[in-house]
Amino acid sequence: MDVVSPDLNSILPDEIMDTEAIAMEEDPPNEPSSSSTLSETEPAQVPMETEVPEIVGLCPATTPTQKTQALTTSTTTDSTLCSNSSGTQLLVTSSSSSGLKPLTTSTTQSSSPVVGQTLPKLSAPITLPANHQLILNKVAVSPAADGKPPGTAVLKQEGQKLLVTGLSKTGQPLVLALPHTWSKPATSQGTGDGKAQTTQFKVVTAGARTDLKPVIGVQAVSSASQLLGSSTPLQAQQLKTVQFTKKTPVSTAGPMITKLIITKALNNKGLTSQAAVQAPVVTGRVLSQTTPSTPPRSIAVGESVSTVPQSISSSSSKVAISPLKSPSKAVKPVQTVAVGGVGQPQFKTIIPLATQPNVQQIQVPGSRFHYVRLVTATTGGNTPQTASPSTNTNPAIQPAKPMMMNTAAVRMSVPIVPAQTVKQVVPKPMTSATQVVTTSQTQQRLIMPATPLPQIQPNLTNLPPGTVLAPAPGAGSMGYAVLPAQYVTQLPQSAFVTLASSSVIHHSLPRKPCNCTKSQCLKLYCDCFANGEFCNNCNCVNCFNNLDHESERLKAIKACLDRNPVAFKPKIGKGKEGESDRRHSKGCNCKKSGCLKNYCECYEAKIMCSSICKCVGCKNFEESPERKTLMHLADAAEVRVQQQTAAKTKLSSQISDLLTRTTPAITSGGGKLPYTFVTKEVAEATCDCLLEQAEKAELTNQPQALAERLILEEFGRCLRRIISFASKAKTDCSINC
DNA sequence: GAGTTTGAAACT
DNA sequence: CAGTTTCAAACTC
C-alpha cells in the first residue's frame, strides 16, 4: 500500500522525496548500499515532519555480516559508516537539512508501510572504550574541495576521537554526547542496566546549513568502538542529527547508555519501505531495528565498560565525517558538547527508560511521517517481539492514524497537544544526570522513555498528534522513543552548555498558536507551516496543516520550495565576515516601523539590520538612540518585573512565616482561629494586595512614609478579612458538625 | 476584543 | 524584477 500516491510522488521535489522511506526497488532488503548514490541526492529541505530519517547502516569492520547489514540500511543514501574497531556501534541516521523529520526511521522491508513494527533487535553487543571522542564537523552543501560529492560527510577515526562532520541546519553546533565511561555491553536482555545511575544525555544534531558553526562533540569511545552506519558520503544537509545518551563522567558504577544517531534524509520517493528505526544502545547492547528477513540497519554505539581506562591510545578509534566545506571549523574537539544557536536548531533528545521498553514503528498511510509507539515491557526479560508480537509480525499498513493504531501492547499513548506546550523536562534530581536538550523553535526530536520517568512523565501527555511512546526493543531497561524535540524543552545555546554539566530545568517559550483563516495554514503566512510544524491547538480555520491533509501539505511544501528553495530554512543566519554572527538572510523591507517594532523581522529576532536590508528610516542599528532607548525601556521593564516577582515572593514568605509562627498561639486555645485558613493562596493574594498598594503609591508619587502606611493599612484589611472568613468558616463548621 | 497598521508572502 | 494583492501578526484603542 502506498503511503503516497505515485502521482503525488512525481510532483514532489527531490527535497521532499528525500525525506521519504526507501523504495523497495531502490533499496532491496539485505542489499548493501553503494556509496555512490549519496551524491545524487539533494539535501532535503522539507519541514520536519515530512521527512523520514534514515538510519545509517552500521558495520563493525571485524564482522563482515554486520557490516553488510549496516550497509543495507543506507541503500538510498549510500552512505555507510564503518568503524574499524570491533565492539562499538553507532546508530546513525541521516536526515534532511530542514530538520523536519519523521519521528522514526524506517528500514526497507516491504513496499507497504509497516505498522506497529517492532524495533530491530539488538545486534551484537558493542563496547565503547572510554577516551574516544566523537566530533561533528560542519558539512557544507557545496561540493567539497577534496572532490567528494557535495554534502558528503565522512566518518573516520582519528586516534580515539570520533569525528563527524555534521551541521545543524540553523548553523548551530552539533551536540554530541558520549559517555565518559562506558559500561560493559549488556546482554540482549538488557541486563546491564540494573543499577540506577547517573546518566547524562546529550543531543547531537547535524543540520544542513552551511553557515553553521562547527560541531563538537564528544566523549570517549573505547578503542574497540566502531562507528557504524552510513559514514561515507553523507550529504551535508542529510546529516542531521547525532544523538548520544551519555552517562555522567563521574558515574562509573551503573550501566552506561550511549546512543549516536545521525539522521539522514532519504532520497527515495517510496514511502512504503521502512528504514531502520533508531536503535538505542543501552548498556552495551546495540539495538537495531530489523525484521527477521532484514538485517539490522541501525548503527548503535555500544557502551564500553566503565572500568576501562580512558587513556588516549593511538589505537583508539577516531571517526570523523569530513566536512565538505570549511573543515577547519568543523573539527573542534570538544568533549562535552553544547549546541545552541540562532535560528531553528534541530536537536534530538534522548531520555533513558527505566524499564525495558518496546518500540513499535508506526507508519501512517498517506503520511511520510514515521511514528513510534513506546510500550513498556511488563517484564525485563521480554523481548521486543514478545512485548508486541502483533507489530512485529504484521507489517501491514494500517490506514488509521498513529493514535488509532493498534495494539494491546501499547501501554502508554499520548494525547495530542501543542508542540510547545511542553516547556520543560525536569531532570531527576541528583540521582540522574539526564539532560534534555533542545533548542528553540523547530524540528527537534525527542527520544523519550516509554516508562514513566518522574522527570518527564508530566510531559508525556503533551505530545504531538500521532505520537505514541513505547520503550525501544532490546533496550533492556532503557527504552527510547523518538519524538519531535520541539515538543520538549527548548533551550538556548547557553542553556545547553549549562545542561552539559549539570541537570538544570530549562524553560522555553512555547510557540504561539496561529490564527490563520484563509491560508489553510499551508502558506508561509502561517508560522506553524513556515516552521515546518503541524498546527496544534491553534486557532486556525480550515487548517490543512495536519496529518489529515498530508497530501495537500506536501503539495504546499513543494509550491513553497518552488518559489523559494530555502523557504524553510531559518531566516536568521550567520552574516558575512566581520559582521555579526546573526543577521537576516534576506534583510527586511520595513518602511514605517523604523525597524523598531516586531513587524520588522530583524528587530523581532533581536538583531540589527544589516547592509542587505532594504528598510526605510531604519533605526535598528547599533548606535541608534531610539533603539537604545527601547532597549533600556525593555531592560527596565524586565528588571521591574523581576523585582516585583522577588518582592512578592519575599512578602509571601514572610507572611507565611509570620502566620506560621503565630499559629500555635492562635490555634492552641479554644475558640482560636484555625491557621489552616492562611494558605499559600491566601498569602499570595495578600501580597498582591500589598503590592498593588505599593504601586498605587508609587504611581501617585506618594512619600515613602505614606506609601508604607497605605501598605500597612492594606495588610490590616487583609488580616481582618482572613480572620473574618476563618471565623465564619469555623462557625459554619460548628453548626454543621 | 475590535479595528488598524505593518510587512512578508503570494500573485500578476 | 517590480508592482499589487493577500495574509496574519503586531499593534492601538
Side-chain angles (χ1 to χ4, degrees):
Chain A
M1 175 178 172
D2 292 338
V3 174
V4 175
S5 65
D7 293 341
L8 178 59
N9 287 338
S10 62
I11 64 172
L12 292 175
D14 292 340
E15 290 82 353
I16 294 177
M17 302 319 300
D18 288 345
T19 64
E20 296 179 353
I22 301 169
M24 282 298 293
E25 60 277 12
E26 293 181 359
D27 185 12
N30 298 331
E31 180 180 359
S33 64
S34 63
S35 61
S36 63
T37 60
L38 178 61
S39 61
E40 297 177 356
T41 62
E42 292 295 330
Q45 296 176 349
V46 181
M48 65 170 184
E49 288 90 352
T50 61
E51 295 178 354
V52 177
E54 177 185 4
I55 293 186
V56 179
L58 316 174
C59 52
T62 57
T63 305
T65 58
Q66 291 178 347
K67 180 176 182 179
T68 302
Q69 293 175 348
L71 292 175
T72 58
T73 60
S74 63
T75 56
T76 59
T77 58
D78 294 340
S79 63
T80 60
L81 293 179
C82 297
S83 64
N84 49 9
S85 65
S86 59
T88 302
Q89 289 181 343
L90 294 179
L91 173 61
V92 178
T93 60
S94 63
S95 64
S96 68
S97 62
S98 64
L100 303 177
K101 302 281 184 182
L103 297 177
T104 64
T105 60
S106 64
T107 57
T108 302
Q109 291 179 344
S110 65
S111 60
S112 300
V114 176
V115 176
Q117 179 181 358
T118 60
L119 292 176
K121 296 178 180 179
L122 292 175
S123 61
I126 298 171
T127 60
L128 283 179
N131 297 332
H132 287 244
Q133 290 181 340
L134 175 60
I135 298 174
L136 292 181
N137 292 335
K138 171 182 177 180
V139 176
V141 176
S142 62
D146 57 357
K148 293 178 181 178
T152 300
V154 176
L155 290 177
K156 63 182 180 180
Q157 289 181 340
E158 294 180 7
Q160 290 183 345
K161 293 181 179 180
L162 175 61
L163 300 180
V164 178
T165 334
L167 29 155
S168 140
K169 169 186 175 182
T170 59
Q172 297 176 347
L174 297 179
V175 179
L176 252 204
L178 289 180
H180 292 284
T181 61
W182 300 80
S183 64
K184 193 171 184 177
T187 62
S188 62
Q189 297 301 321
T191 58
D193 52 357
K195 295 179 181 179
Q197 303 165 357
T198 301
T199 302
Q200 290 180 346
F201 298 91
K202 294 183 180 181
V203 176
V204 176
T205 300
R209 287 180 64 94
T210 59
D211 56 351
L212 299 183
K213 295 179 180 179
V215 176
I216 318 164
V218 178
Q219 290 266 339
V221 176
S222 68
S223 61
S225 66
Q226 294 178 344
L227 176 59
L228 301 179
S230 63
S231 56
T232 36
L234 282 179
Q235 282 190 342
Q237 292 183 348
Q238 290 180 339
L239 177 60
K240 185 178 180 183
T241 61
V242 176
Q243 297 177 338
F244 280 90
T245 56
K246 175 185 178 181
K247 183 178 181 179
T248 54
V250 295
S251 174
T252 58
M256 181 172 294
I257 300 171
T258 300
K259 182 176 182 178
L260 171 61
I261 299 172
I262 298 174
T263 303
K264 176 182 179 181
L266 298 178
N267 57 0
N268 289 343
K269 294 182 179 180
L271 293 177
T272 58
S273 64
Q274 194 168 17
V277 177
Q278 295 174 348
V281 177
V282 177
T283 63
R285 289 195 299 175
V286 176
L287 298 178
S288 62
Q289 191 172 12
T290 179
T291 58
S293 62
T294 303
R297 294 184 179 181
S298 63
I299 299 171
V301 176
E303 303 160 354
S304 64
V305 176
S306 61
T307 58
V308 174
Q310 294 181 351
S311 62
I312 299 173
S313 63
S314 60
S315 63
S316 64
S317 61
K318 182 177 181 179
V319 179
I321 298 174
S322 64
L324 296 177
K325 189 175 181 179
S326 64
S328 61
K329 295 174 65 178
V331 179
K332 282 187 178 180
V334 177
Q335 288 188 345
T336 49
V337 179
V339 176
V342 182
Q344 302 174 350
Q346 300 173 351
F347 291 103
K348 291 187 176 182
T349 303
I350 299 173
I351 300 173
L353 293 179
T355 63
Q356 291 182 347
N358 188 7
V359 176
Q360 297 176 351
Q361 242 186 358
I362 300 172
Q363 190 163 10
V364 179
S367 173
R368 293 181 296 111
F369 293 52
H370 287 214
Y371 299 89
V372 175
R373 171 185 294 115
L374 289 182
V375 177
T376 302
T378 56
T379 61
N382 289 340
T383 61
Q385 290 76 7
T386 58
S388 60
S390 62
T391 58
N392 195 17
T393 58
N394 184 12
I397 301 170
Q398 290 183 356
K401 293 181 180 180
M403 296 289 294
M404 302 298 293
M405 298 179 128
N406 96 44
T407 62
V410 176
R411 312 245 171 167
M412 176 175 61
S413 63
V414 181
I416 300 170
V417 296
Q420 282 72 11
T421 56
V422 179
K423 297 176 67 177
Q424 68 180 26
V425 175
V426 180
K428 204 170 186 177
M430 303 308 293
T431 58
S432 174
T434 299
Q435 296 176 348
V436 175
V437 178
T438 62
T439 58
S440 62
Q441 301 297 321
T442 64
Q443 300 160 19
Q444 299 173 343
R445 298 289 185 275
L446 167 67
I447 297 178
M448 299 186 68
T451 57
L453 287 179
Q455 60 270 34
I456 64 170
Q457 178 62 27
N459 292 330
L460 293 178
T461 59
N462 294 329
L463 293 174
T467 301
V468 180
L469 297 178
S477 64
M478 297 294 180
Y480 302 93
V482 180
L483 299 175
Q486 70 215 33
Y487 297 98
V488 194
T489 306
Q490 293 183 350
L491 302 175
Q493 182 171 0
S494 59
F496 182 86
V497 174
T498 301
L499 282 180
S501 58
S502 64
S503 297
V504 178
I505 298 173
H506 295 272
H507 299 268
S508 63
L509 295 176
R511 177 182 61 80
K512 293 182 179 179
C514 72
N515 302 292
C516 307
T517 58
K518 298 181 179 179
S519 67
Q520 295 179 323
C521 297
L522 290 183
K523 292 190 176 180
L524 295 177
Y525 298 127
C526 176
D527 284 346
C528 303
F529 180 78
N531 289 331
E533 301 173 359
F534 285 123
C535 286
N536 214 330
N537 277 4
C538 293
N539 304 314
C540 41
V541 177
N542 194 22
C543 180
F544 275 43
N545 185 27
N546 50 47
L547 284 174
D548 291 338
H549 302 86
E550 184 62 12
S551 60
E552 290 88 347
R553 186 173 184 268
L554 291 175
K555 290 179 182 178
I557 291 170
K558 178 185 182 302
C560 288
L561 291 174
D562 287 343
R563 286 190 293 266
N564 178 16
V566 295
F568 294 100
K569 288 190 174 182
K571 293 180 180 179
I572 307 302
K574 188 176 181 181
K576 296 178 181 178
E577 195 72 20
E579 294 184 355
S580 173
D581 285 344
R582 299 177 65 217
R583 76 167 188 175
H584 198 287
S585 59
K586 293 171 57 181
C588 68
N589 300 287
C590 306
K591 295 175 176 60
K592 298 180 179 178
S593 66
C595 299
L596 289 181
K597 292 187 177 180
N598 283 333
Y599 297 127
C600 175
E601 292 191 348
C602 297
Y603 181 83
E604 188 178 27
K606 294 179 173 58
I607 59 177
M608 307 292 175
C609 288
S610 65
S611 58
I612 61 174
C613 292
K614 295 175 281 293
C615 43
V616 177
C618 179
K619 297 174 181 175
N620 185 26
F621 54 93
E622 184 65 34
E623 300 303 325
S624 170
E626 292 88 351
R627 180 184 145 308
K628 288 183 177 178
T629 301
L630 270 180
M631 294 298 102
H632 290 158
L633 289 175
D635 291 343
E638 184 176 359
V639 169
R640 180 178 177 82
V641 170
Q642 291 176 350
Q643 288 177 341
Q644 287 183 347
T645 302
K648 182 178 178 180
T649 302
K650 184 178 180 181
L651 261 177
S652 177
S653 175
Q654 290 176 342
I655 292 175
S656 299
D657 184 60
L658 176 64
L659 295 174
T660 300
R661 281 189 276 111
T662 57
T663 294
I666 295 173
T667 58
S668 59
K672 298 296 183 180
L673 298 178
Y675 70 93
T676 53
F677 285 96
V678 185
T679 61
K680 179 182 177 182
E681 289 74 16
V682 171
E684 290 181 349
T686 302
C687 292
D688 287 336
C689 294
L690 301 184
L691 282 174
E692 184 178 355
Q693 288 298 321
E695 292 178 356
K696 188 181 299 182
E698 187 179 41
L699 291 175
T700 56
N701 295 324
Q702 298 292 339
Q704 183 175 354
L706 180 58
E708 292 175 350
R709 179 176 179 176
L710 292 173
I711 295 172
L712 288 174
E713 289 175 351
E714 178 65 22
F715 184 55
R717 286 191 293 270
C718 291
L719 286 179
R720 283 194 295 271
R721 269 177 265 160
I722 294 172
I723 295 170
S724 175
F725 280 108
S727 299
K728 184 176 184 300
K730 184 179 180 181
T731 301
D732 295 342
C733 180
S734 300
I735 295 173
N736 297 330
C737 299

